[in-house]
Amino acid sequence: EKLAEKFGTADTSSGHKLLPPCIRVIQGDGIDINSLEMILGAMKDAGWAADNLAFGSGGALLQKLHRDTQKCAFKCSYALINDQGVDIFKDPITDQGKKSKKGRLTLELKNGEWTTVTEGKGDAELDQLVEVFKDGSLLVDDTMATIRKRSEGTQEVPRSLRSDAPVLGDPFNNIVMLTDSYK
């Protein structure tokens, strides 16, 4: 109703209210076949056209596999603001399972075990993370088989394919966004 007040509506051939084509309501979180039915039913009952909605294709539409069930998400853990390093993390009071790692991270393989070391306390010499994309350019082009071997610790970590890639003094400078896997 608030959007109708602001942008106006037209009537569809079935008599439902339709917002202008540039205005839609997006619902993506928690969408499954049951919530779709409930939302569309409520829209119909209130006299609104289904075309007012855009639905995300979340994992619940498939096998109910998503970032929460798989315990994996991409989050920022560190930022440089006005030349000052800032640890960034999430610690929701409603779900401790969603607490993220903070600070500069390293991914280290010791005795066949992968370990993520947080808050800049890792050993840069043991860090297995590499820059893969930079400024829209692909720096490392690996096959899935190579990536699997690397995850098993049976293959050397690749180095940048770009000969002009800068070598910077800080070994942690390549970290922009990392997976926050808490399996």
Side-chain angles (χ1 to χ4, degrees), residues 2-143:
K2 295 279 186 190
L3 291 173
E5 290 172 18
K6 180 77 174 173
F7 300 102
T9 63
D11 288 335
T12 65
S13 60
S14 62
H16 292 90
K17 294 178 276 188
L18 181 64
L19 293 163
C22 61
I23 307 295
R24 292 295 176 262
V25 175
I26 299 172
Q27 176 61 45
D29 196 30
I31 290 294
D32 64 18
I33 194 68
N34 297 319
S35 61
L36 274 171
E37 187 176 333
M38 182 185 74
I39 292 167
L40 290 172
M43 291 287 288
K44 181 180 178 184
D45 293 347
W48 286 94
D51 279 353
N52 289 300
L53 300 174
F55 292 103
S57 59
L61 285 174
L62 301 170
Q63 299 87 13
K64 298 222 180 251
L65 299 175
H66 47 76
R67 66 177 183 235
D68 292 341
T69 60
Q70 298 304 296
K71 299 291 188 189
C72 183
F74 288 88
K75 298 186 179 87
C76 180
S77 65
Y78 179 81
L80 195 60
I81 302 172
N82 296 326
D83 294 325
Q84 295 292 319
V86 178
D87 291 350
I88 299 171
F89 65 101
K90 163 181 170 175
D91 190 5
I93 59 172
T94 57
D95 188 348
Q96 284 296 297
K98 291 185 177 181
K99 182 176 181 179
S100 67
K101 296 171 176 64
K102 65 179 170 178
R104 291 179 170 189
L105 308 178
T106 58
L107 180 63
E108 301 175 15
L109 181 61
K110 296 179 185 174
N111 302 319
E113 293 289 322
W114 290 102
T115 304
T116 302
V117 183
T118 63
E119 301 178 61
K121 298 175 183 172
D123 182 342
E125 295 298 317
L126 299 177
D127 190 9
Q128 301 293 298
L129 294 172
V130 296
E131 192 170 32
V132 175
F133 294 98
K134 182 172 185 162
D135 299 328
S137 296
L138 180 65
L139 304 180
V140 176
D141 189 12
D142 282 334
T143 65

